[in-house]
Amino acid sequence: MKHLDPRGRRGLSMPQTRRQFLGTAAAAGAAALAGSGTAWSAPDLAGVTLNLMVIQPHVTGGRIIAEAFGKATGAKVNVLPVPNDQIQQKATLDVQSGSNVYDVIDYWYGLLGALADDGTVIDVTDRIGKDFAGADLLPAIYDPYTLYDGKRWGVPYDGDSHVLFVNTEILERNGQKAPETWDEYLATAKAITEAEKGKGIFGTALLGVKQPFMIGCSYANRLAGFGGRFLDDAGKPVLDSDISIAAAQAMLDVAPYALPTPLETGFEQGLPAFLSGKAAMIEFWTDLGVNAQDPKTSQIVDKWNVVQIPVGGANKQHRGSLDAGFGLAISAGSKQPDAAWELIKFACSKAMNLELTLTPGTGIDPIYTSVLDSPEYRKAAPKVQAAAAQALHGALAWPTGASASKMLQSLADQLALVLDRSKTPRQAMQDAQASWLGIMNG
């Protein structure tokens, strides 16, 4: 999800070396690699070339898959990176122009409805029913990542959620503790910033760049923490609810005590600030925990902890938000959909998901309950494993309809106006509500 490589994992204890894994994959003619745990017979794909489109942070993982799949099947897999914000544009244009370069698409789940609706990806309902039946894919992500209009369009590949990381040294120095509520989070950020701003240390780093993956995540964390949601049971937006407005207000309240300035704080600014001890807190993806323990990239080794996203208002139940998250789908332009599906089965298998979850630099998080709860993951990242397991229980899913990407960018635009104080939270959320209704009604 980042332009740098902030989600890389280093210094992990892996269940087997990458060479050993590749060797296993090469001999995987009867290996249990499919998601259901049933034996996967590696097809003979000698002479076949597949093109795998991935977002930039998934390049390392894509290359591991390509090498292992090639050894197992004889196929050649080209890994073709695209910027995070160009997935839909690239994938759709490829099909509509007839270029048909891509066979498999690494898609953000918020784009699923749009990609399915415009015919960019193909229906895999029957394939997933056959090959992933009984798989222990995480319930919180399975439907949001795959289901649109009653059909399945892809397979979960990277399960994402935010948790709250804290610098324990800074907190202890200021007599603070990890916050349980958004009110405590604000008070903690305020106390630290007021005490240490002169030394260039701030209470928190708030991702506020005007993109759904950044300011949208910060808002969604608060919306989930306050017990809110994006849509009601009938699918109508509820962005003008009191809870939604309170979530936006919570962002505005903490902005003065965050790393300057939130509107210019993205992955590239927030992550280095936290890892260098310049920010006491940051909401981030779970794999930050392993980076924080790597002395090559971190100055806070053994000086951090991770807790669940705070709660707020009347809500007392911790709840995460499905911030980002990716699946793999077959491009409608692929001339070899069966071979493409074999690549997806391989890439989204339990064995590969565990391998990528534990491998530095892949940016991949668990998609299976058994991987999330595995001894290997518990050993490699015990603090993160516990927080991630709790965060994913009943996590808030973002909209995935055909217009979701437009809706979420519209929300990001309004939230940015809150942070620059051009609009009050109430005005902005009412305008976001009106915008969403307009988009949904065409």
Side-chain angles (χ1 to χ4, degrees), residues 1 31 248 416:
M1 291 301 309

Side-chain angles (χ1 to χ4, degrees), residues 189-226:
K190 181 175 186 292
I192 292 172
T193 297
E194 290 181 345
E196 304 210 27
K197 181 179 179 180
K199 296 185 291 185
I201 296 173
F202 295 86
T204 193
L206 179 68
L207 303 185
V209 170
K210 194 173 63 175
Q211 295 178 11
F213 284 154
M214 298 191 198
I215 198 170
C217 292
S218 296
Y219 168 76
N221 292 338
R222 286 154 182 79
L223 184 64
F226 278 86

